[in-house]
């Protein structure tokens, strides 16, 4: 999984938690997180970790909601650089989280949490 990265303490923790769930529920042996900037592991580190664990195909999923410049330009550029380092490994950049109907369920859950706090007797 590819995230932007943040200097804020604990800000990247949610992505690590999601990665663990993917590993457990998705049946994938190798699941790593890497960041575009600000803090390690960086993209090249994450790919190297996968290769060292024996991956022959690496699917990179951007942990981004918006299809902005990082997703359209920066991530493909970094991934292209890395592909040249591992000629025998297939490295595929997938789509970002973007729009998905399940996101509405999450937003409704968050609204309910706040709305429930405001309805005290």
């Amino acid at each position: 999984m590819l995230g932007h990265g943040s200097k804020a303490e604990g800000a990247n923790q949610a992505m690590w938690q999601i990665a663990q769930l993917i590993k457990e529920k998705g049946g994938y042996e190798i699941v790593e997180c890497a960041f575009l900037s600000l803090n390690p592991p960086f993209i090249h580190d994450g790919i190297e970790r996968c290769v060292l664990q024996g991956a022959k195909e690496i699917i990179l999923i951007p942990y981004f909601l918006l299809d902005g410049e990082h997703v359209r330009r920066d991530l493909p550029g970094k991934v292209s650089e890395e592909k040249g380092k591992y000629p025998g490994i297939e490295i595929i950049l997938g789509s970002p989280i973007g729009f998905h109907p399940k996101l509405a369920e999450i937003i409704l859950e968050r609204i309910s949490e706040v709305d429930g706090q405001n309805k005290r007797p």
Side-chain angles (χ1 to χ4, degrees):
M1 292 177 43
L2 303 178
H4 183 276
S6 175
K7 290 183 181 181
E9 187 175 333
N12 299 314
Q13 189 59 34
M15 192 169 92
W16 288 103
Q17 291 171 315
I18 294 292
Q20 184 61 38
L21 287 174
I22 289 168
K23 189 172 188 173
E24 292 169 6
K25 296 182 178 198
Y28 294 98
E29 270 185 53
I30 303 168
V31 179
E32 293 289 342
C33 293
F35 301 98
L36 178 63
S37 64
L38 302 178
N39 56 295
F42 297 109
I43 293 172
H44 64 273
D45 300 318
I47 291 172
E48 181 179 47
R49 285 177 167 184
C50 293
V51 171
L52 291 174
Q53 292 176 68
K56 300 296 179 208
E57 177 184 73
I58 300 171
I59 300 169
L60 305 168
I61 301 298
Y63 192 69
F64 286 74
L65 286 178
L66 305 175
D67 188 20
E69 288 299 308
H70 289 317
V71 171
R72 284 186 269 146
R73 185 191 66 216
D74 299 338
L75 292 178
K78 295 277 187 189
V79 170
S80 181
E81 288 173 23
E82 293 305 308
K83 283 182 179 184
K85 296 178 187 177
Y86 303 99
I89 308 292
E90 188 172 7
I91 300 175
I92 303 161
L93 180 59
S95 298
I97 296 169
F99 169 80
H100 194 284
K102 289 184 180 184
L103 289 172
E105 293 174 31
I106 296 168
I107 300 298
L108 287 169
E109 185 178 308
R110 296 296 185 250
I111 291 169
S112 177
E113 290 168 1
V114 172
D115 197 33
Q117 292 174 2
N118 291 331
K119 292 182 179 177
R120 295 186 187 130

